[in-house]
Amino acid sequence: MLGLKEKLQQQIPALREEVRKLIKEHGEAVISEATVSQVFGGMRGVKGLVCDTSVVDPDKGLAVRGIPIGELADRLPEEIFFLLCTGELPDAEALASLQAEFRKRAQVPPYVWDVLEAMPKDSHPMAMFSTAILVMERDSGFRRRYAEGMPKDTYWEATLEDSLQLLAKLPAVAAGIYRLRSHRGAPLPSDPRLDWAAGYAHMLGLSDPSGEFANLMRLYLTLHCDHEGGNVSAFTCHTVGSALSDAYYAVSAGLNGLAGPLHGLANQECLHFVLEVRKKFDGVPSDEQLRDHASNVLKAGRVIPGYGHAVLRVTDPRFTAFHKFGERVCADDNIFRIVDRIFAVVPGLLREQGKAKDPWPNVDAISGALLYHFGLTEFEYYTVLFGVSRALGLCAQLVLNRALGTPITRPKSVSTEWIKSNFKAAQRAA
Ligand code: CMX
């Protein structure tokens, strides 16, 4: 099988032709309209973007290039990156070639550590992660080649090269941030014999005699890879990339969105919630106690982190995949058992409250509990792990958009005054 770059080279002319034909034949066809509540409501449900890497079906959850994420749970994140970019899983040869490409580019420039060490000791790990990516922008081949007059139809190649450079370094950068931030010592060198996720697990430096922590990291980095195009991080990355800002700028910007408590930070918030429960009840509470506690949280105007979703309307299949892993590896762990009981109690409670459109758990409701089991207890760090994985999808989307020559994002906004006068005029006419 062809390697990643060669495969894309083979596919791109047909993709460009397909889009050109669609616009020519159906350019004026209406896909979506926007209501007043949608424009005031985060554009929820407005179809205004194309994303081919993955789709989130409200009733089924994430499918990467048409394959339900549950069926990809045993795959390596490198395979998923190949799949996100090309729509095909790599064979052994193409996988080995992509892993070699990552290995070649894995060395983190020393100035990254200088910058990270100079940051205040209480900087959030996500701020450190985003900063590390941004400082590496000085090495962007896209920016250099753009200044040299690179032809438009090769933008994707420079974006792919920046993406490979970035993805190759992210595990070491992220692991180094963990060690710096948790006072565990200097960053550990990478082990070139390991795959991307196991290498990350190794550089975090936690003890893993059973090898199950490396397995969890493989699963974690696979499950969080992408979630179509309109979520905060993907849309932000896409918008920044559409200005032809390079992958470093775009991914860093996307991750700043992931750092929000309603998006990627929810996994940190979620473990906080679980630990609060464990402390309050000195262990695993009864369902009745848990119901009262969660009910008080809702009455206080707080959200139950890890529950609800802007698109999903069923239990997130990524939650299910983690749950299966937890049942196999740590079914008796108190934290895992609390997560399990929350899953039994909270959806019913949210349904009774009647506000949340989706009462079911998303991936964040469980991911932290598994990390905690393996001694990764610094939950402020969890969103960085999410970010390492999500960078796979962000980069794949950037490469494809540069291949298709997607123009700069610029939807039209309207003022509240415009909406008021528009509908007053419509009312008068009626
Ligand atoms: N607990 C309590 N109330 C909730 C809730 C939850 N878990 N989920 C939704 N609601 C409330 C909303 O706050 C909103 O209340 P108001 O009308 O008072 O503002 C109401 O239900 C309707 O919200 P919605 O349309 O169902 O949800 P949105 O699409 O606006 O928001 C999300 C989706 C994920 C932000 C929301 O469900 C939430 O805050 N969940 C908890 C945080 C979380 O788990 N985030 C991670 C999501 C995954 C990710 O993107 O990374």
Side-chain angles (χ1 to χ4, degrees):
M1 189 176 185
L2 293 174
L4 177 59
K5 185 169 177 189
E6 295 71 27
K7 185 91 208 157
L8 281 165
Q9 224 143 21
Q10 187 192 54
Q11 292 178 331
I12 285 168
L15 293 177
R16 287 178 177 156
E17 181 53 22
E18 188 179 39
V19 173
R20 198 195 58 76
K21 227 172 132 208
L22 275 172
I23 296 173
K24 185 161 176 253
E25 290 173 8
H26 306 286
E28 300 310 313
V30 174
I31 288 180
S32 197
E33 287 175 334
T35 63
V36 173
S37 34
Q38 284 173 315
V39 301
F40 278 112
M43 295 191 279
R44 204 73 82 259
V46 177
K47 298 184 183 77
L49 292 164
V50 178
C51 172
D52 289 321
T53 52
S54 67
V55 170
V56 180
D57 182 314
D59 301 317
K60 293 194 196 129
L62 173 67
V64 178
R65 293 288 194 157
I67 307 177
I69 190 69
E71 291 175 23
L72 293 167
D74 294 330
R75 297 285 182 170
L76 293 175
E78 296 94 311
E79 294 178 276
I80 303 294
F81 184 59
F82 196 101
L83 175 66
L84 285 161
C85 289
T86 66
E88 291 177 33
L89 281 161
D91 62 8
E93 188 193 357
L95 171 62
S97 143
L98 179 57
Q99 289 179 319
E101 296 295 333
F102 280 152
R103 230 165 266 137
K104 260 188 347 213
R105 297 168 175 84
Q107 194 62 41
V108 178
Y111 64 78
V112 172
W113 304 123
D114 296 341
V115 171
L116 291 177
E117 277 166 20
M119 287 179 78
K121 297 289 165 252
D122 56 356
S123 298
H124 193 280
M126 277 303 278
M128 296 174 79
F129 191 44
S130 178
T131 301
I133 293 171
L134 208 48
V135 289
M136 289 193 286
E137 196 279 335
R138 78 178 275 283
D139 296 323
S140 166
F142 184 96
R143 182 157 62 80
R144 183 178 44 75
R145 288 180 57 190
Y146 188 85
E148 290 164 3
M150 145 175 75
K152 194 171 180 185
D153 64 353
T154 62
Y155 287 177
W156 73 269
E157 289 179 34
T159 304
L160 178 63
E161 176 55 30
D162 277 2
S163 297
L164 291 174
Q165 289 285 355
L166 186 55
L167 292 172
K169 294 171 178 60
L170 286 189
V173 169
I177 290 172
Y178 176 69
R179 295 184 61 78
L180 275 174
R181 205 49 189 70
S182 56
H183 312 291
R184 285 175 193 261
L188 295 172
S190 62
D191 180 342
R193 292 165 306 177
L194 298 174
D195 58 80
W196 198 65
Y200 184 11
H202 164 75
M203 286 183 282
L204 286 166
L206 298 168
S207 142
D208 185 24
S210 66
E212 290 294 2
F213 180 58
N215 283 335
L216 175 63
M217 293 295 285
R218 292 185 180 110
L219 180 64
Y220 193 107
L221 298 181
T222 286
L223 294 182
H224 288 81
C225 65
D226 201 41
H227 222 224
E228 68 175 40
N231 64 76
V232 167
S233 47
F235 188 37
T236 304
C237 179
H238 170 79
T239 303
V240 173
S242 81
L244 298 186
S245 303
D246 57 59
Y248 296 86
Y249 280 127
V251 171
S252 173
L255 295 178
N256 293 342
L258 193 74
L262 295 188
H263 192 14
L265 203 82
N267 57 11
Q268 155 179 344
E269 303 271 309
C270 199
L271 196 67
H272 199 269
F273 182 79
V274 174
L275 293 179
E276 190 181 271
V277 167
R278 185 179 67 166
K279 189 167 171 210
K280 178 165 176 186
F281 300 102
D282 197 22
V284 185
S286 69
D287 286 4
E288 207 43 49
Q289 287 171 317
L290 195 53
R291 219 186 123 76
D292 286 347
H293 177 73
S295 186
N296 288 335
V297 168
L298 291 178
K299 277 187 207 135
R302 287 166 58 198
V303 295
I304 311 279
Y307 283 75
H309 200 271
V311 175
L312 278 174
R313 295 297 175 256
V314 287
T315 295
D316 189 335
R318 300 170 300 171
F319 175 94
T320 310
F322 272 142
H323 196 264
K324 207 166 130 197
F325 181 93
E327 277 185 328
R328 182 175 68 76
V329 171
C330 57
D332 296 331
D333 181 297
N334 268 359
I335 299 284
F336 181 73
R337 285 173 58 211
I338 295 174
V339 166
D340 200 48
R341 293 334 295 158
I342 294 176
F343 180 36
V345 166
V346 163
L349 199 62
L350 286 173
R351 265 203 309 256
E352 277 167 35
Q353 195 207 28
K355 265 175 42 170
K357 294 187 189 69
D358 171 38
W360 301 108
N362 59 60
V363 67
D364 298 326
I366 189 162
S367 54
L370 299 176
L371 297 170
Y372 201 87
H373 172 77
F374 285 100
L376 212 168
T377 52
E378 298 83 356
F379 47 82
E380 273 212 323
Y381 181 75
Y382 291 173
T383 313
V384 175
L385 283 154
F386 190 159
V388 172
S389 173
R390 187 50 62 88
L392 297 168
L394 299 181
C395 286
Q397 293 190 24
L398 284 173
V399 170
L400 292 175
N401 278 301
R402 294 296 72 77
L404 292 173
T406 311
I408 188 163
T409 303
R410 183 42 168 109
K412 177 81 184 92
S413 60
V414 294
S415 65
T416 308
E417 206 41 57
W418 181 90
I419 294 178
K420 276 171 25 193
S421 55
N422 210 36
F423 290 102
K424 262 190 212 137
Q427 257 167 5
R428 272 199 300 272

